[in-house]
Amino acid sequence: MGDTLRLAVGIMGNAASLLLFSAPILTFYRVIRKKSTEEFSCVPYIIALLNCLLYTWYGLPVVSYRWENFPVATINGLGILLEFSFIIIYFWFTSSRGKIMVAITVIPVILVFCITATISASALHDHHHRKIFVGSVALAASVAMYGSPLVAVKKVIKTKSVEFMPFYLSFFSFLASSIWMAYGLLSHDLFLASPNLVGSPLGIVQLVLYCMYRKTGIMEAPDKWDLEKNEEKSKKLQLVINDRS
């Protein structure tokens, strides 16, 4: 019964994480359409890539005992493909300076993963110590990933606008972290539960801020449209006056 429940929670976690990983698709569709990365930063996606790499390795039988963490390996393996795709799109459309920054950030991430995988596979010879080592590194990466939206939170508070913090991204982050926290507790695995103890409250904070400031964004839009209409009317009136003159 316990294993069945844990597997069911893992499947729900996969679904929630898939929604979370897929959330930036709309953002990158806009990047492709405008052929510009605008003010977006690639750092959160690079941190997410490191997180996915480490937890995919953590879920494989090399580190975990057999396939006890199969749901962890599958969804993070898919996450690698999505995050890597986002990074490539960003790299393609960013400026020359942006390309350099992406390369400077991605290379250490790949090195950290390769070193972690090599040490755990060759220097450590049992699952217990491998899980402790890989889980510790993955825990740090996961906390960094869940902490990256704090930049958006700061901007929301400063501008009193939720433009830079979409609702669906905040909601899926809260949902995924809450489910994986439950999965980690059911598995008695602190390396799966602990980072989500950070992610879940941060998700709640984002949702609360969205509820606080979403009306501000809605109220400001009509004013902007009215100004644009008034400006157009003024231009037309000026043309009529000039013609009569």
Side-chain angles (χ1 to χ4, degrees):
M1 181 64 183
D3 290 339
T4 304
L5 178 61
R6 188 169 66 90
L7 180 60
V9 173
I11 292 172
M12 288 190 291
N14 273 8
S17 292
L18 179 59
L19 292 172
L20 177 61
F21 289 144
S22 303
I25 287 176
L26 294 176
T27 298
F28 282 93
Y29 172 75
R30 187 167 71 179
V31 168
I32 293 171
R33 186 164 53 86
K34 292 188 174 181
K35 296 182 179 179
S36 171
T37 56
E38 299 177 322
E39 295 182 5
F40 294 109
S41 172
C42 193
V43 173
Y45 306 104
I46 296 172
I47 296 174
L49 174 64
L50 176 60
N51 182 74
C52 290
L53 285 167
L54 290 169
Y55 272 107
T56 299
W57 183 248
Y58 184 87
L60 292 174
V62 179
V63 178
S64 295
Y65 181 70
R66 294 185 179 179
W67 288 104
E68 62 175 341
N69 286 316
F70 177 72
V72 177
T74 52
I75 189 58
N76 283 286
L78 180 60
I80 291 171
L81 296 177
L82 288 172
E83 300 299 339
F84 193 65
S85 299
F86 297 149
I87 293 169
I88 289 175
I89 293 170
Y90 187 94
F91 185 84
W92 185 265
F93 289 105
T94 192
S95 61
S96 299
R97 184 179 178 182
K99 286 180 171 63
I100 295 172
M101 293 302 297
V102 171
I104 290 173
T105 313
V106 169
I107 291 173
V109 162
I110 301 300
L111 286 175
V112 168
F113 170 70
C114 290
I115 293 169
T116 303
T118 302
I119 292 174
S120 60
S122 58
L124 304 174
H125 304 291
D126 61 90
H127 292 288
H128 176 70
H129 288 93
R130 287 175 181 174
K131 287 181 74 172
I132 291 175
F133 176 67
V134 177
S136 298
V137 181
L139 175 61
S142 191
V143 170
M145 183 186 74
Y146 282 124
S148 59
L150 288 174
V151 177
V153 168
K154 181 181 178 182
K155 184 168 285 189
V156 168
I157 295 172
K158 184 178 180 180
T159 62
K160 295 183 180 180
S161 171
V162 294
E163 180 185 357
F164 301 99
M165 193 177 67
F167 171 79
Y168 57 83
L169 189 60
S170 301
F171 177 72
F172 293 151
S173 176
F174 166 71
L175 185 64
S177 58
S178 298
I179 294 174
W180 284 115
M181 180 174 62
Y183 179 88
L185 293 173
L186 289 170
S187 304
H188 304 290
D189 193 328
L190 290 176
F191 294 116
L192 294 176
S194 297
N196 295 293
L197 288 171
V198 176
S200 188
L202 281 175
I204 294 174
V205 169
Q206 291 177 62
L207 291 174
V208 169
L209 284 173
Y210 187 89
C211 292
M212 288 174 60
Y213 293 115
R214 69 186 178 87
K215 292 183 179 179
T216 304
I218 293 171
M219 292 296 291
E220 287 175 356
D223 294 339
K224 183 178 178 183
W225 297 334
D226 289 342
L227 287 172
E228 289 175 352
K229 288 179 181 178
N230 290 335
E231 187 178 351
E232 289 178 3
K233 289 180 180 178
S234 298
K235 287 180 179 178
K236 289 179 181 179
L237 181 61
Q238 186 65 39
L239 287 172
V240 171
I241 293 171
N242 290 338
D243 290 339
R244 288 181 178 179
S245 301

mmCIF file of all heavy atoms in Angstrom, residues 82-126:
data_model
loop_
_atom_site.group_PDB
_atom_site.id
_atom_site.type_symbol
_atom_site.label_atom_id
_atom_site.label_comp_id
_atom_site.label_asym_id
_atom_site.label_seq_id
_atom_site.Cartn_x
_atom_site.Cartn_y
_atom_site.Cartn_z
ATOM 1 N N LEU A 82 13.903 19.904 -22.276
ATOM 2 C CA LEU A 82 13.201 21.184 -22.365
ATOM 3 C C LEU A 82 14.109 22.362 -22.003
ATOM 4 O O LEU A 82 14.172 23.360 -22.731
ATOM 5 C CB LEU A 82 11.975 21.169 -21.448
ATOM 6 C CG LEU A 82 10.807 20.296 -21.908
ATOM 7 C CD1 LEU A 82 9.743 20.201 -20.827
ATOM 8 C CD2 LEU A 82 10.197 20.832 -23.193
ATOM 9 N N GLU A 83 14.824 22.239 -20.893
ATOM 10 C CA GLU A 83 15.693 23.343 -20.461
ATOM 11 C C GLU A 83 16.821 23.578 -21.456
ATOM 12 O O GLU A 83 17.188 24.722 -21.745
ATOM 13 C CB GLU A 83 16.277 23.052 -19.073
ATOM 14 C CG GLU A 83 15.253 22.876 -17.962
ATOM 15 C CD GLU A 83 14.387 24.098 -17.738
ATOM 16 O OE1 GLU A 83 14.793 25.202 -18.126
ATOM 17 O OE2 GLU A 83 13.294 23.949 -17.174
ATOM 18 N N PHE A 84 17.365 22.490 -21.997
ATOM 19 C CA PHE A 84 18.435 22.622 -22.983
ATOM 20 C C PHE A 84 17.911 23.312 -24.246
ATOM 21 O O PHE A 84 18.602 24.138 -24.850
ATOM 22 C CB PHE A 84 19.002 21.243 -23.329
ATOM 23 C CG PHE A 84 20.302 21.288 -24.084
ATOM 24 C CD1 PHE A 84 21.446 21.805 -23.491
ATOM 25 C CD2 PHE A 84 20.391 20.821 -25.379
ATOM 26 C CE1 PHE A 84 22.652 21.858 -24.175
ATOM 27 C CE2 PHE A 84 21.581 20.872 -26.077
ATOM 28 C CZ PHE A 84 22.719 21.390 -25.477
ATOM 29 N N SER A 85 16.656 22.997 -24.624
ATOM 30 C CA SER A 85 16.040 23.642 -25.787
ATOM 31 C C SER A 85 15.858 25.138 -25.542
ATOM 32 O O SER A 85 16.133 25.963 -26.430
ATOM 33 C CB SER A 85 14.683 23.005 -26.085
ATOM 34 O OG SER A 85 14.823 21.634 -26.375
ATOM 35 N N PHE A 86 15.407 25.502 -24.345
ATOM 36 C CA PHE A 86 15.222 26.922 -24.011
ATOM 37 C C PHE A 86 16.553 27.671 -24.064
ATOM 38 O O PHE A 86 16.629 28.805 -24.558
ATOM 39 C CB PHE A 86 14.611 27.068 -22.619
ATOM 40 C CG PHE A 86 13.231 26.482 -22.486
ATOM 41 C CD1 PHE A 86 12.798 25.957 -21.279
ATOM 42 C CD2 PHE A 86 12.368 26.451 -23.577
ATOM 43 C CE1 PHE A 86 11.532 25.416 -21.155
ATOM 44 C CE2 PHE A 86 11.094 25.905 -23.462
ATOM 45 C CZ PHE A 86 10.669 25.388 -22.241
ATOM 46 N N ILE A 87 17.606 27.038 -23.550
ATOM 47 C CA ILE A 87 18.928 27.677 -23.526
ATOM 48 C C ILE A 87 19.452 27.887 -24.945
ATOM 49 O O ILE A 87 20.039 28.939 -25.262
ATOM 50 C CB ILE A 87 19.921 26.841 -22.693
ATOM 51 C CG1 ILE A 87 19.502 26.871 -21.212
ATOM 52 C CG2 ILE A 87 21.345 27.378 -22.841
ATOM 53 C CD1 ILE A 87 20.239 25.869 -20.349
ATOM 54 N N ILE A 88 19.235 26.909 -25.820
ATOM 55 C CA ILE A 88 19.677 27.034 -27.212
ATOM 56 C C ILE A 88 18.949 28.182 -27.910
ATOM 57 O O ILE A 88 19.558 28.983 -28.632
ATOM 58 C CB ILE A 88 19.445 25.711 -27.979
ATOM 59 C CG1 ILE A 88 20.431 24.648 -27.498
ATOM 60 C CG2 ILE A 88 19.597 25.917 -29.486
ATOM 61 C CD1 ILE A 88 20.210 23.280 -28.103
ATOM 62 N N ILE A 89 17.624 28.274 -27.676
ATOM 63 C CA ILE A 89 16.840 29.368 -28.277
ATOM 64 C C ILE A 89 17.349 30.714 -27.768
ATOM 65 O O ILE A 89 17.527 31.664 -28.547
ATOM 66 C CB ILE A 89 15.340 29.199 -27.960
ATOM 67 C CG1 ILE A 89 14.794 27.958 -28.667
ATOM 68 C CG2 ILE A 89 14.553 30.439 -28.400
ATOM 69 C CD1 ILE A 89 13.396 27.574 -28.236
ATOM 70 N N TYR A 90 17.569 30.800 -26.463
ATOM 71 C CA TYR A 90 18.076 32.043 -25.874
ATOM 72 C C TYR A 90 19.438 32.395 -26.476
ATOM 73 O O TYR A 90 19.686 33.543 -26.839
ATOM 74 C CB TYR A 90 18.194 31.887 -24.361
ATOM 75 C CG TYR A 90 18.558 33.167 -23.642
ATOM 76 C CD1 TYR A 90 17.570 33.989 -23.110
ATOM 77 C CD2 TYR A 90 19.889 33.563 -23.500
ATOM 78 C CE1 TYR A 90 17.896 35.173 -22.453
ATOM 79 C CE2 TYR A 90 20.226 34.738 -22.854
ATOM 80 C CZ TYR A 90 19.235 35.534 -22.333
ATOM 81 O OH TYR A 90 19.568 36.694 -21.705
ATOM 82 N N PHE A 91 20.313 31.406 -26.581
ATOM 83 C CA PHE A 91 21.662 31.614 -27.126
ATOM 84 C C PHE A 91 21.590 32.103 -28.572
ATOM 85 O O PHE A 91 22.379 32.965 -28.987
ATOM 86 C CB PHE A 91 22.451 30.303 -27.049
ATOM 87 C CG PHE A 91 23.885 30.433 -27.467
ATOM 88 C CD1 PHE A 91 24.846 30.856 -26.562
ATOM 89 C CD2 PHE A 91 24.280 30.132 -28.762
ATOM 90 C CE1 PHE A 91 26.176 30.982 -26.937
ATOM 91 C CE2 PHE A 91 25.604 30.251 -29.147
ATOM 92 C CZ PHE A 91 26.558 30.673 -28.234
ATOM 93 N N TRP A 92 20.647 31.594 -29.331
ATOM 94 C CA TRP A 92 20.528 31.926 -30.748
ATOM 95 C C TRP A 92 20.109 33.384 -30.957
ATOM 96 O O TRP A 92 20.598 34.064 -31.849
ATOM 97 C CB TRP A 92 19.521 30.991 -31.416
ATOM 98 C CG TRP A 92 19.420 31.185 -32.898
ATOM 99 C CD1 TRP A 92 18.506 31.964 -33.576
ATOM 100 C CD2 TRP A 92 20.273 30.625 -33.905
ATOM 101 N NE1 TRP A 92 18.722 31.913 -34.922
ATOM 102 C CE2 TRP A 92 19.807 31.094 -35.166
ATOM 103 C CE3 TRP A 92 21.378 29.777 -33.874
ATOM 104 C CZ2 TRP A 92 20.403 30.733 -36.361
ATOM 105 C CZ3 TRP A 92 21.972 29.416 -35.080
ATOM 106 C CH2 TRP A 92 21.489 29.892 -36.290
ATOM 107 N N PHE A 93 19.199 33.875 -30.106
ATOM 108 C CA PHE A 93 18.610 35.193 -30.317
ATOM 109 C C PHE A 93 19.198 36.292 -29.440
ATOM 110 O O PHE A 93 18.840 37.460 -29.611
ATOM 111 C CB PHE A 93 17.093 35.138 -30.089
ATOM 112 C CG PHE A 93 16.358 34.400 -31.175
ATOM 113 C CD1 PHE A 93 15.871 33.126 -30.942
ATOM 114 C CD2 PHE A 93 16.178 34.972 -32.424
ATOM 115 C CE1 PHE A 93 15.196 32.436 -31.940
ATOM 116 C CE2 PHE A 93 15.511 34.275 -33.424
ATOM 117 C CZ PHE A 93 15.021 33.002 -33.187
ATOM 118 N N THR A 94 20.080 35.949 -28.509
ATOM 119 C CA THR A 94 20.647 36.976 -27.651
ATOM 120 C C THR A 94 21.804 37.693 -28.344
ATOM 121 O O THR A 94 22.268 37.283 -29.416
ATOM 122 C CB THR A 94 21.130 36.357 -26.317
ATOM 123 O OG1 THR A 94 21.407 37.412 -25.393
ATOM 124 C CG2 THR A 94 22.387 35.514 -26.515
ATOM 125 N N SER A 95 22.283 38.743 -27.718
ATOM 126 C CA SER A 95 23.391 39.519 -28.286
ATOM 127 C C SER A 95 24.713 38.760 -28.125
ATOM 128 O O SER A 95 24.770 37.722 -27.473
ATOM 129 C CB SER A 95 23.491 40.867 -27.565
ATOM 130 O OG SER A 95 23.759 40.664 -26.180
ATOM 131 N N SER A 96 25.773 39.309 -28.722
ATOM 132 C CA SER A 96 27.095 38.674 -28.619
ATOM 133 C C SER A 96 27.552 38.599 -27.167
ATOM 134 O O SER A 96 28.106 37.588 -26.713
ATOM 135 C CB SER A 96 28.123 39.460 -29.441
ATOM 136 O OG SER A 96 27.747 39.483 -30.800
ATOM 137 N N ARG A 97 27.289 39.663 -26.428
ATOM 138 C CA ARG A 97 27.635 39.670 -25.007
ATOM 139 C C ARG A 97 26.808 38.629 -24.240
ATOM 140 O O ARG A 97 27.318 37.949 -23.354
ATOM 141 C CB ARG A 97 27.390 41.058 -24.424
ATOM 142 C CG ARG A 97 27.803 41.189 -22.967
ATOM 143 C CD ARG A 97 27.560 42.599 -22.468
ATOM 144 N NE ARG A 97 27.914 42.737 -21.062
ATOM 145 C CZ ARG A 97 27.763 43.843 -20.351
ATOM 146 N NH1 ARG A 97 27.253 44.924 -20.924
ATOM 147 N NH2 ARG A 97 28.110 43.872 -19.083
ATOM 148 N N GLY A 98 25.531 38.513 -24.625
ATOM 149 C CA GLY A 98 24.668 37.517 -23.995
ATOM 150 C C GLY A 98 25.143 36.106 -24.260
ATOM 151 O O GLY A 98 25.081 35.239 -23.377
ATOM 152 N N LYS A 99 25.626 35.861 -25.485
ATOM 153 C CA LYS A 99 26.154 34.530 -25.829
ATOM 154 C C LYS A 99 27.355 34.169 -24.957
ATOM 155 O O LYS A 99 27.495 33.020 -24.505
ATOM 156 C CB LYS A 99 26.549 34.485 -27.304
ATOM 157 C CG LYS A 99 25.373 34.436 -28.272
ATOM 158 C CD LYS A 99 25.860 34.396 -29.712
ATOM 159 C CE LYS A 99 24.757 34.121 -30.695
ATOM 160 N NZ LYS A 99 23.718 35.144 -30.747
ATOM 161 N N ILE A 100 28.201 35.150 -24.718
ATOM 162 C CA ILE A 100 29.374 34.916 -23.873
ATOM 163 C C ILE A 100 28.949 34.581 -22.444
ATOM 164 O O ILE A 100 29.483 33.662 -21.815
ATOM 165 C CB ILE A 100 30.304 36.155 -23.890
ATOM 166 C CG1 ILE A 100 30.880 36.365 -25.290
ATOM 167 C CG2 ILE A 100 31.428 35.999 -22.862
ATOM 168 C CD1 ILE A 100 31.648 37.662 -25.454
ATOM 169 N N MET A 101 27.963 35.320 -21.939
ATOM 170 C CA MET A 101 27.466 35.084 -20.581
ATOM 171 C C MET A 101 26.844 33.704 -20.441
ATOM 172 O O MET A 101 27.018 33.019 -19.427
ATOM 173 C CB MET A 101 26.449 36.170 -20.198
ATOM 174 C CG MET A 101 27.034 37.561 -20.047
ATOM 175 S SD MET A 101 28.366 37.633 -18.806
ATOM 176 C CE MET A 101 27.467 37.198 -17.317
ATOM 177 N N VAL A 102 26.108 33.281 -21.474
ATOM 178 C CA VAL A 102 25.502 31.939 -21.461
ATOM 179 C C VAL A 102 26.588 30.873 -21.418
ATOM 180 O O VAL A 102 26.520 29.922 -20.628
ATOM 181 C CB VAL A 102 24.590 31.734 -22.692
ATOM 182 C CG1 VAL A 102 24.145 30.274 -22.793
ATOM 183 C CG2 VAL A 102 23.369 32.638 -22.599
ATOM 184 N N ALA A 103 27.610 31.032 -22.265
ATOM 185 C CA ALA A 103 28.694 30.059 -22.311
ATOM 186 C C ALA A 103 29.448 30.000 -20.979
ATOM 187 O O ALA A 103 29.760 28.912 -20.468
ATOM 188 C CB ALA A 103 29.661 30.408 -23.444
ATOM 189 N N ILE A 104 29.691 31.179 -20.384
ATOM 190 C CA ILE A 104 30.410 31.244 -19.105
ATOM 191 C C ILE A 104 29.615 30.553 -17.995
ATOM 192 O O ILE A 104 30.189 29.960 -17.076
ATOM 193 C CB ILE A 104 30.685 32.725 -18.725
ATOM 194 C CG1 ILE A 104 31.736 33.322 -19.663
ATOM 195 C CG2 ILE A 104 31.148 32.852 -17.277
ATOM 196 C CD1 ILE A 104 31.956 34.809 -19.470
ATOM 197 N N THR A 105 28.290 30.612 -18.089
ATOM 198 C CA THR A 105 27.436 30.013 -17.059
ATOM 199 C C THR A 105 27.204 28.527 -17.292
ATOM 200 O O THR A 105 27.169 27.739 -16.341
ATOM 201 C CB THR A 105 26.072 30.736 -17.003
ATOM 202 O OG1 THR A 105 26.280 32.154 -16.993
ATOM 203 C CG2 THR A 105 25.302 30.347 -15.752
ATOM 204 N N VAL A 106 27.042 28.131 -18.549
ATOM 205 C CA VAL A 106 26.725 26.728 -18.867
ATOM 206 C C VAL A 106 27.912 25.808 -18.639
ATOM 207 O O VAL A 106 27.750 24.694 -18.120
ATOM 208 C CB VAL A 106 26.218 26.600 -20.325
ATOM 209 C CG1 VAL A 106 26.153 25.132 -20.744
ATOM 210 C CG2 VAL A 106 24.840 27.227 -20.466
ATOM 211 N N ILE A 107 29.100 26.247 -19.008
ATOM 212 C CA ILE A 107 30.291 25.387 -18.896
ATOM 213 C C ILE A 107 30.529 24.912 -17.461
ATOM 214 O O ILE A 107 30.733 23.715 -17.220
ATOM 215 C CB ILE A 107 31.533 26.111 -19.472
ATOM 216 C CG1 ILE A 107 31.392 26.239 -20.993
ATOM 217 C CG2 ILE A 107 32.815 25.344 -19.126
ATOM 218 C CD1 ILE A 107 32.458 27.081 -21.654
ATOM 219 N N PRO A 108 30.503 25.800 -16.444
ATOM 220 C CA PRO A 108 30.657 25.320 -15.062
ATOM 221 C C PRO A 108 29.550 24.351 -14.636
ATOM 222 O O PRO A 108 29.800 23.416 -13.867
ATOM 223 C CB PRO A 108 30.600 26.604 -14.232
ATOM 224 C CG PRO A 108 30.991 27.685 -15.155
ATOM 225 C CD PRO A 108 30.464 27.270 -16.485
ATOM 226 N N VAL A 109 28.333 24.564 -15.137
ATOM 227 C CA VAL A 109 27.218 23.667 -14.811
ATOM 228 C C VAL A 109 27.497 22.249 -15.319
ATOM 229 O O VAL A 109 27.309 21.265 -14.596
ATOM 230 C CB VAL A 109 25.901 24.214 -15.421
ATOM 231 C CG1 VAL A 109 24.832 23.131 -15.489
ATOM 232 C CG2 VAL A 109 25.401 25.388 -14.610
ATOM 233 N N ILE A 110 27.964 22.158 -16.553
ATOM 234 C CA ILE A 110 28.300 20.846 -17.134
ATOM 235 C C ILE A 110 29.455 20.206 -16.366
ATOM 236 O O ILE A 110 29.450 18.996 -16.099
ATOM 237 C CB ILE A 110 28.670 20.993 -18.628
ATOM 238 C CG1 ILE A 110 27.508 21.599 -19.410
ATOM 239 C CG2 ILE A 110 29.046 19.635 -19.208
ATOM 240 C CD1 ILE A 110 26.236 20.809 -19.382
ATOM 241 N N LEU A 111 30.436 21.019 -15.998
ATOM 242 C CA LEU A 111 31.588 20.498 -15.244
ATOM 243 C C LEU A 111 31.162 19.976 -13.869
ATOM 244 O O LEU A 111 31.609 18.910 -13.437
ATOM 245 C CB LEU A 111 32.646 21.590 -15.079
ATOM 246 C CG LEU A 111 33.459 21.946 -16.329
ATOM 247 C CD1 LEU A 111 34.374 23.130 -16.041
ATOM 248 C CD2 LEU A 111 34.278 20.743 -16.788
ATOM 249 N N VAL A 112 30.285 20.725 -13.182
ATOM 250 C CA VAL A 112 29.798 20.290 -11.861
ATOM 251 C C VAL A 112 29.097 18.948 -11.970
ATOM 252 O O VAL A 112 29.319 18.043 -11.156
ATOM 253 C CB VAL A 112 28.843 21.348 -11.261
ATOM 254 C CG1 VAL A 112 28.100 20.780 -10.054
ATOM 255 C CG2 VAL A 112 29.619 22.587 -10.846
ATOM 256 N N PHE A 113 28.247 18.805 -12.992
ATOM 257 C CA PHE A 113 27.537 17.530 -13.163
ATOM 258 C C PHE A 113 28.500 16.389 -13.479
ATOM 259 O O PHE A 113 28.394 15.297 -12.904
ATOM 260 C CB PHE A 113 26.500 17.641 -14.277
ATOM 261 C CG PHE A 113 25.910 16.307 -14.647
ATOM 262 C CD1 PHE A 113 25.048 15.642 -13.770
ATOM 263 C CD2 PHE A 113 26.230 15.696 -15.856
ATOM 264 C CE1 PHE A 113 24.517 14.403 -14.094
ATOM 265 C CE2 PHE A 113 25.708 14.460 -16.191
ATOM 266 C CZ PHE A 113 24.847 13.811 -15.304
ATOM 267 N N CYS A 114 29.437 16.626 -14.395
ATOM 268 C CA CYS A 114 30.386 15.575 -14.798
ATOM 269 C C CYS A 114 31.252 15.129 -13.614
ATOM 270 O O CYS A 114 31.481 13.927 -13.415
ATOM 271 C CB CYS A 114 31.268 16.070 -15.941
ATOM 272 S SG CYS A 114 30.385 16.267 -17.505
ATOM 273 N N ILE A 115 31.719 16.084 -12.823
ATOM 274 C CA ILE A 115 32.538 15.767 -11.647
ATOM 275 C C ILE A 115 31.720 14.980 -10.629
ATOM 276 O O ILE A 115 32.186 13.973 -10.066
ATOM 277 C CB ILE A 115 33.116 17.056 -11.018
ATOM 278 C CG1 ILE A 115 34.133 17.698 -11.963
ATOM 279 C CG2 ILE A 115 33.763 16.757 -9.666
ATOM 280 C CD1 ILE A 115 34.555 19.089 -11.543
ATOM 281 N N THR A 116 30.485 15.427 -10.393
ATOM 282 C CA THR A 116 29.602 14.740 -9.433
ATOM 283 C C THR A 116 29.323 13.309 -9.880
ATOM 284 O O THR A 116 29.399 12.368 -9.069
ATOM 285 C CB THR A 116 28.270 15.502 -9.287
ATOM 286 O OG1 THR A 116 28.531 16.841 -8.884
ATOM 287 C CG2 THR A 116 27.370 14.834 -8.265
ATOM 288 N N ALA A 117 29.002 13.136 -11.167
ATOM 289 C CA ALA A 117 28.698 11.804 -11.692
ATOM 290 C C ALA A 117 29.920 10.891 -11.640
ATOM 291 O O ALA A 117 29.817 9.707 -11.279
ATOM 292 C CB ALA A 117 28.180 11.908 -13.128
ATOM 293 N N THR A 118 31.084 11.444 -11.982
ATOM 294 C CA THR A 118 32.310 10.640 -11.995
ATOM 295 C C THR A 118 32.696 10.178 -10.592
ATOM 296 O O THR A 118 33.013 9.004 -10.370
ATOM 297 C CB THR A 118 33.473 11.453 -12.610
ATOM 298 O OG1 THR A 118 33.115 11.860 -13.934
ATOM 299 C CG2 THR A 118 34.743 10.609 -12.661
ATOM 300 N N ILE A 119 32.666 11.102 -9.625
ATOM 301 C CA ILE A 119 33.028 10.754 -8.246
ATOM 302 C C ILE A 119 32.052 9.730 -7.663
ATOM 303 O O ILE A 119 32.457 8.740 -7.042
ATOM 304 C CB ILE A 119 33.056 12.019 -7.360
ATOM 305 C CG1 ILE A 119 34.218 12.928 -7.776
ATOM 306 C CG2 ILE A 119 33.187 11.643 -5.879
ATOM 307 C CD1 ILE A 119 34.235 14.260 -7.056
ATOM 308 N N SER A 120 30.756 9.939 -7.897
ATOM 309 C CA SER A 120 29.760 9.023 -7.328
ATOM 310 C C SER A 120 29.832 7.634 -7.945
ATOM 311 O O SER A 120 29.587 6.638 -7.257
ATOM 312 C CB SER A 120 28.349 9.596 -7.519
ATOM 313 O OG SER A 120 28.058 9.779 -8.899
ATOM 314 N N ALA A 121 30.191 7.566 -9.222
ATOM 315 C CA ALA A 121 30.225 6.266 -9.903
ATOM 316 C C ALA A 121 31.523 5.504 -9.663
ATOM 317 O O ALA A 121 31.524 4.268 -9.619
ATOM 318 C CB ALA A 121 30.016 6.464 -11.402
ATOM 319 N N SER A 122 32.631 6.227 -9.481
ATOM 320 C CA SER A 122 33.931 5.553 -9.389
ATOM 321 C C SER A 122 34.511 5.514 -7.979
ATOM 322 O O SER A 122 35.089 4.496 -7.560
ATOM 323 C CB SER A 122 34.936 6.228 -10.333
ATOM 324 O OG SER A 122 35.077 7.598 -10.008
ATOM 325 N N ALA A 123 34.359 6.597 -7.235
ATOM 326 C CA ALA A 123 34.985 6.675 -5.906
ATOM 327 C C ALA A 123 34.108 6.100 -4.796
ATOM 328 O O ALA A 123 34.616 5.659 -3.760
ATOM 329 C CB ALA A 123 35.346 8.120 -5.579
ATOM 330 N N LEU A 124 32.791 6.126 -4.991
ATOM 331 C CA LEU A 124 31.865 5.619 -3.975
ATOM 332 C C LEU A 124 31.279 4.294 -4.455
ATOM 333 O O LEU A 124 30.824 4.190 -5.598
ATOM 334 C CB LEU A 124 30.755 6.640 -3.714
ATOM 335 C CG LEU A 124 31.241 8.037 -3.298
ATOM 336 C CD1 LEU A 124 30.075 9.013 -3.209
ATOM 337 C CD2 LEU A 124 31.984 7.979 -1.963
ATOM 338 N N HIS A 125 31.248 3.310 -3.570
ATOM 339 C CA HIS A 125 30.925 1.957 -4.019
ATOM 340 C C HIS A 125 29.648 1.379 -3.433
ATOM 341 O O HIS A 125 29.408 0.183 -3.525
ATOM 342 C CB HIS A 125 32.100 1.018 -3.699
ATOM 343 C CG HIS A 125 33.399 1.472 -4.292
ATOM 344 N ND1 HIS A 125 33.648 1.467 -5.651
ATOM 345 C CD2 HIS A 125 34.528 1.997 -3.710
ATOM 346 C CE1 HIS A 125 34.873 1.946 -5.885
ATOM 347 N NE2 HIS A 125 35.423 2.278 -4.725
ATOM 348 N N ASP A 126 28.813 2.203 -2.824
ATOM 349 C CA ASP A 126 27.515 1.715 -2.348
ATOM 350 C C ASP A 126 26.468 2.806 -2.532
ATOM 351 O O ASP A 126 26.785 3.998 -2.608
ATOM 352 C CB ASP A 126 27.592 1.301 -0.874
ATOM 353 C CG ASP A 126 27.972 2.454 0.031
ATOM 354 O OD1 ASP A 126 27.064 3.147 0.500
ATOM 355 O OD2 ASP A 126 29.197 2.670 0.259
#
